[in-house]
Every structure is written in structure tokens, then in C-alpha cells.
Amino acid sequence: MLIGTRVRLRMLTKTDVEEMAAWDDDAEIEKYIGKKFAPYETPLEWYSNLLKDNRQRGLAIETLDGQFIGDVGLQEISWRKRSAEVRICIADKEYWGRGYGTEALQILIRYAFEELGLEVLYLRVYADNLRAIRCYEKCGFEKKGRVRFSSRGNGDLLLMILDRRRWRGQRELAKATG
Ligand SMILES: CC(C)(COP(=O)(O)OP(=O)(O)OC[C@H]1O[C@@H](n2cnc3c(N)ncnc32)[C@H](O)[C@@H]1OP(=O)(O)O)[C@@H](O)C(=O)NCCC(=O)NCCS
């Protein structure tokens, strides 16, 4: 289990996935991340795929008092290139803008770089998702590209990247400056 001061990341359970199915019907969440389970017959098919696919990791985000509030993960893991795409969703809106997403992501980043030995993390985010962009920047991600992608009405799509060297440098600087 991966623990911070607000949240812990733990294995997703079948019960979590049943709860996540309701999140998939939320229009505001869909606007930001699309429908997670759309390509699958059932949410449980997505789950069983997650468990057997070594190119993915999916973890539940839980508050320290045990509330399941979202999920975070890595997909498209390339063990050869040591890279992966990051995804995150705090589905319980009560917890938006209170630092939970940033902490969950910081824990995932540490896990990806230190436990899995990855070198580069990247993500895609709609340009109008300012809360998410701010969260990613606080975690050290940099905007590296912009793709014209307005078919869903969310404006352009940004590519953001964080590599292990930059992340280490930022951590050392943060330690040195207190
Ligand atoms: C994106 C998400 C993971 C961020 O997690 P979070 O816990 O809400 O974010 P945090 O509180 O850690 O950080 C958000 C930051 O954005 C800021 N923010 C919030 N709304 C903002 C806005 N409209 N414009 C600019 N900044 C904004 C907050 O003030 C905070 O910055 P600060 O700490 O400097 O004050 C979460 O909101 C979420 O899952 N949203 C729905 C799904 C989604 O968008 N997923 C990402 C898809 S790429």
C-alpha cells in the first residue's frame, strides 16, 4: 500500500469497480475523461483485463479514513522505453480542489519511478481542464505539445511530460529549500 498524508493508493477491488460504473454516467466526468468502460461489455471485463495486462496498473484512491474517492493508474506501459501514460480521476466531487489529486499523483509518480523503474511519464489533458493542468504542474509535469482536438467541445488537447531526472531534481530542490 502506498500512503500519503491525505490518501492511500491500494489495489482496486470488484466492489470499487461496481461503484466506478456510476461515475461513468456522470456527464461532467465524461467531459474530462470520456467513458472509461465504453470499449468493454461490462466494467468487470475492464477489471479482469486490468489484472492480467502487464502494460497497465490501476489503483484505488482512498482517504485515510477509508473513503474510496477515485482511481489513478498507468497505461501503455512500455517496459522497453520505460515510459507510461498517467491517468487520474477523483470522482467524488466533494474532494476536488483540496489537494487529494495532487497527493495521489505524487504517490503514483514515486511508485512509477522508484518501484517500477520507469523513466518518462506523460499524459493528455484537455486545454480547458484548468484544475487538472494546475494539479499536473504542481507534480512537475511540463506542457510539451498541443493538438487541435475540438470535436468534443473541450478545446485543444495538451501533452504533458515528466521525466525521472527532472522529478529527482525537483525533489532535491524542495528538500534543500525546506
Ligand atoms: C484533475 C483532478 C485529478 C485534480 O485533483 P484535485 O484534487 O481536484 O486537484 P488539487 O486540489 O490537488 O489541485 C488543483 C489545483 O488547481 C487549482 N484550480 C482549481 N480550479 C481551477 C481553475 N478553474 N483554474 C485554475 N486553477 C484551478 C486549485 O486551486 C489547485 O491549485 P493550488 O493548490 O495551487 O491552489 C480532479 O479534479 C479530477 O479527477 N477531476 C475530474 C476528472 C479529471 O479531470 N481527470 C483528469 C483528466 S486529464
Side-chain angles (χ1 to χ4, degrees), residues 55 75-85 118:
R55 297 187 317 132
Q75 56 198 26
E76 306 294 339
I77 300 175
S78 165
W79 296 105
R80 188 165 59 86
K81 295 181 188 157
R82 295 181 181 271
S83 65
E85 179 169 15
L118 299 182

Side-chain angles (χ1 to χ4, degrees), residues 29 32-33 88-91 95-103 123-126 129-132 134-136 138:
I29 291 178
Y32 295 128
I33 65 168
I88 181 166
C89 180
I90 304 279
Y95 290 91
W96 284 3
R98 294 167 56 192
Y100 287 82
T102 299
E103 184 172 84
L123 58 86
R124 291 167 292 160
V125 58
Y126 289 115
N129 193 349
L130 300 180
R131 187 189 311 105
R134 174 76 188 124
C135 166
Y136 300 146
K138 285 194 291 177

Side-chain angles (χ1 to χ4, degrees), residues 60-71:
I61 306 171
E62 188 176 84
T63 61
L64 294 189
D65 59 5
Q67 183 120 352
F68 173 49
I69 59 168
D71 74 309

